[in-house]
Amino acid sequence: MSSPVEQITVVSSDGDEFKMTVAAAMQSEQLKQMLTDDSISIVKVPVENISTEILVKVIEYCQKHADHEAATKANGGGASDSEAEELNKWDAEFMKVDVEDKLFHILMAANYLEIKGLFDLACQTVADLIKGKTPKQIRKIFNLKNDFTPEEQERLSRQHNCSFD
Amino acid sequence: MEDSYSTVRRWEDLDIDILVKIFELLDIFQLTSGIAHVCSTWRMACCDPLLWKTLDLSMLKSNFIKIPLEPFVYVDGRSDTTLTRLLKISLSLSRGNIMTLIFHFNLYISDDQLTYTAERCPELRRLVLPAWNRIKKTGMIKAIRGWKHLESLTMPTIANPPYLLEEIAANCENFSELKIMGPCDMFFASSIATYLPKLRVLSLRCSTLFKDVLILILDNLQHLEVLNISHCILMETAPPPQHKRIIREIDPAIHEKASRLREFLTCMQDSCIMCQRTRTDEGLVRWYKYEEGLWKTDEVRSLSL
């Protein structure tokens, strides 16, 4: 059996290398499986579809949440309300990123690496962006094309009595 | 196939599965407010069956006033229009995939709205419809006929249950679970025994229940597995001048009969708030007086919302 690993190295699609503590890496189901599989000896993990910019953010999230979990455990189990609130505030700040680029790629990265907390957080951020917006506003935010034909638009409008704007 | 990352990936390339996960976080109002009109991919995601297994309209109430004549409620036109619009869009996006339908006890759905809805939920397994004031027998019969797979019904107490139960018996092969939000009298109980002898789960919680009705249920519903009479005011007939009296304790003979049940749920404690409320409301709980959502609770897990 290999000697206990304390850190792993992940390599972004740009070729940059980053060290991650095992605790932080365990936030990712994907990385966790690699780490707990004794038959794999990890040196460097390439994450081919995650750029440096995004990887840095992802590692930041994982580290923060790993630290929080460790602190909670040290305090004997439950996180206090204020600790939980503090983490939520941190998460909220963390997700204040541009929608078009960063938010999308963080969502993709969280999905790919199977980081449940980050994935759920990113999904909720998108959901909050959608709430209360008209289709036109949503298209602007996410840079989406209205690809319905005029006939389809007409039919859907009639069916739903609500406009395409 | 070209490596998808060498081309710039953006929101329009978002996997539909992820889009569906995001839409799962939206409530029914948000889901039907135009998301499906953004683009064709979003429309496709909006129609995903995962989003429509349950249509929960229990946050919607009618804007109504009580009136002294049948149907005893008058619903404001705009409130009706809101419901119709919501139903139209939801049912269109759901593409016949709805399995559970939930309405609020103060949502007075009209006959037409019920018919419209029933036609578009052919796969319905569970219906929670506590308010039938504006529904006609013909409307309900038509609806039941369309719900071949109905298994569970939560309903108010009604004066003339045989027509309904007969229709359920004839059309809903898998029907097994009934919750009555109100008193179950001898007529109702014997109708259940006649038409739904295979009933497995029955909840009569928080209402007046006579001992002989309870005995009839226990004697006749041989397939009953779960019976919930929590917080019921148990009564028996008595000689004049009382004519009836409250029973404080369930006697051993009844417990004996109920011993074959998997779950016999009772609660008859003076200290219990729900028991007190049932008594205050004289056996027909006025849910609007209490905490929002209280009416959704049930000691039977499959009936709890």
Side-chain angles (χ1 to χ4, degrees):
Chain A
M1 191 175 124
S2 50
S3 60
V5 177
E6 283 177 11
Q7 279 194 329
I8 63 165
T9 303
V10 283
V11 189
S12 75
S13 59
D14 303 313
D16 296 315
E17 295 181 6
F18 298 92
K19 288 219 183 335
M20 264 182 105
T21 65
V22 165
M26 298 282 263
Q27 295 285 315
S28 151
E29 262 314 302
Q30 266 237 345
L31 296 176
K32 182 177 175 183
Q33 278 182 26
M34 281 190 228
L35 285 167
T36 52
D37 186 346
D38 283 340
S39 65
I40 301 177
S41 145
I42 300 180
V43 180
K44 292 183 193 172
V45 184
V47 280
E48 271 165 11
N49 35 16
I50 304 177
S51 70
T52 293
E53 200 183 17
I54 300 301
L55 189 54
V56 163
K57 283 287 273 185
V58 168
I59 293 175
E60 192 189 340
Y61 177 93
C62 290
Q63 194 59 64
K64 174 73 181 179
H65 279 250
D67 290 345
H68 176 86
E69 269 175 33
T72 303
K73 232 186 194 167
N75 291 341
S80 71
D81 280 342
S82 62
E83 276 167 6
E85 213 194 298
E86 196 244 307
L87 189 64
N88 287 339
K89 282 210 186 107
W90 187 93
D91 281 348
E93 273 307 307
F94 179 82
M95 288 313 280
K96 287 193 178 147
V97 293
D98 76 285
V99 176
E100 253 226 61
D101 186 33
K102 278 232 181 68
L103 180 57
F104 176 77
H105 287 113
I106 289 175
L107 179 61
M108 294 286 97
N111 184 47
Y112 176 73
L113 288 172
E114 294 176 74
I115 306 168
K116 184 171 183 343
L118 184 57
F119 181 74
D120 290 346
L121 183 61
C123 283
Q124 188 62 60
T125 306
V126 178
D128 292 339
L129 281 168
I130 295 173
K131 288 177 189 172
K133 307 277 190 337
T134 64
K136 198 172 182 181
Q137 288 169 328
I138 292 174
R139 278 182 223 123
K140 186 141 188 268
I141 294 171
F142 297 100
N143 200 11
L144 297 164
K145 260 198 302 268
N146 178 356
D147 59 351
F148 290 115
T149 64
E151 294 80 35
E152 278 174 323
Q153 276 190 70
E154 167 67 37
R155 187 169 48 88
L156 290 168
S157 272
R158 255 185 298 118
Q159 221 176 55
H160 293 185
N161 289 345
C162 64
S163 75
F164 269 77
D165 305 316
Chain B
M1 194 177 109
E2 198 181 29
D3 174 19
S4 61
Y5 200 67
S6 62
T7 55
V8 168
R9 289 204 70 201
R10 288 287 187 258
W11 290 104
E12 42 197 50
D13 299 324
L14 187 62
D15 298 333
I16 252 198
D17 291 334
I18 298 181
L19 208 47
V20 172
K21 289 222 171 82
I22 293 171
F23 290 171
E24 279 184 291
L25 301 170
L26 303 172
D27 69 32
I28 189 69
F29 293 108
Q30 291 151 357
L31 207 49
T32 54
S33 67
I35 307 256
H37 290 191
V38 171
C39 64
S40 57
T41 311
W42 280 45
R43 180 172 182 76
M44 220 181 334
C46 269
C47 298
D48 194 291
L50 265 173
L51 298 174
W52 298 105
K53 270 198 304 231
T54 297
L55 178 56
D56 186 349
L57 295 176
S58 65
M59 79 298 296
L60 198 63
K61 298 179 212 177
S62 295
N63 190 8
F64 71 100
I65 52 168
K66 285 195 171 148
I67 54 177
L69 300 169
E70 282 206 1
F72 305 109
V73 290
Y74 175 77
V75 176
D76 161 59
R78 207 157 23 135
S79 155
D80 250 348
T81 309
T82 304
L83 176 61
T84 298
R85 185 182 169 278
L86 198 58
L87 285 172
K88 267 174 95 174
I89 301 176
S90 306
L91 295 168
S92 166
L93 292 173
S94 72
R95 301 201 172 158
N97 288 310
I98 294 173
M99 310 264 267
T100 297
L101 196 47
I102 304 169
F103 293 98
H104 192 273
F105 63 84
N106 271 150
L107 186 66
Y108 297 97
I109 188 172
S110 73
D111 218 34
D112 289 337
Q113 286 165 337
L114 177 67
T115 302
Y116 184 87
T117 302
E119 282 167 359
R120 288 158 184 77
C121 299
E123 297 297 321
L124 197 71
R125 302 288 194 270
R126 184 177 177 196
L127 175 66
V128 176
L129 185 60
W132 289 23
N133 297 52
R134 297 165 80 202
I135 297 173
K136 303 195 182 61
K137 278 192 194 161
T138 47
M140 190 47 89
I141 288 173
K142 229 190 323 182
I144 299 280
R145 286 192 181 154
W147 290 327
K148 302 263 173 242
H149 306 286
L150 193 69
E151 294 169 6
S152 172
L153 175 64
T154 296
M155 62 181 286
T157 191
I158 57 175
N160 188 19
Y163 86 90
L164 171 78
L165 303 178
E166 193 177 14
E167 211 58 49
I168 291 176
N171 286 284
C172 312
E173 211 176 60
N174 298 326
F175 192 80
S176 59
E177 188 177 84
L178 181 64
K179 172 169 175 170
I180 305 171
M181 290 177 67
C184 177
D185 61 12
M186 191 51 105
F187 186 38
F188 210 137
S190 34
S191 306
I192 296 174
T194 305
Y195 294 107
L196 302 176
K198 297 224 194 81
L199 198 67
R200 288 198 287 108
V201 178
L202 180 61
S203 179
L204 305 173
R205 72 189 298 264
C206 303
S207 52
T208 306
L209 180 65
F210 273 80
K211 184 173 160 183
D212 49 359
V213 176
L214 177 57
I215 291 175
L216 183 129
I217 289 170
L218 288 169
D219 283 342
N220 286 276
L221 295 178
Q222 287 304 316
H223 295 261
L224 203 61
E225 294 171 15
V226 179
L227 178 61
N228 185 10
I229 60 168
S230 302
H231 324 296
C232 281
I233 308 172
L234 199 54
M235 307 201 79
E236 63 185 349
T237 48
Q242 277 178 312
H243 298 290
K244 57 186 181 184
R245 61 169 164 245
I246 295 180
I247 300 173
R248 292 277 162 205
E249 235 179 59
I250 297 175
D251 61 59
I254 292 181
H255 274 298
E256 170 65 44
K257 285 183 197 280
S259 60
R260 66 172 167 88
L261 299 171
R262 191 165 35 93
E263 281 180 77
F264 181 42
L265 301 157
T266 63
C267 174
M268 283 168 30
Q269 290 168 29
D270 286 336
S271 57
C272 167
I273 294 187
M274 225 36 247
C275 288
Q276 287 168 17
R277 284 170 169 172
T278 309
R279 243 178 288 136
T280 308
D281 291 346
E282 296 176 322
L284 183 59
V285 175
R286 313 283 189 234
W287 298 104
Y288 63 83
K289 285 161 50 178
Y290 310 116
E291 305 88 86
E292 194 70 52
L294 184 69
W295 67 279
K296 294 181 177 180
T297 329
D298 199 297
E299 290 74 13
V300 181
R301 221 168 343 124
S302 59
L303 286 170
S304 189
L305 289 171

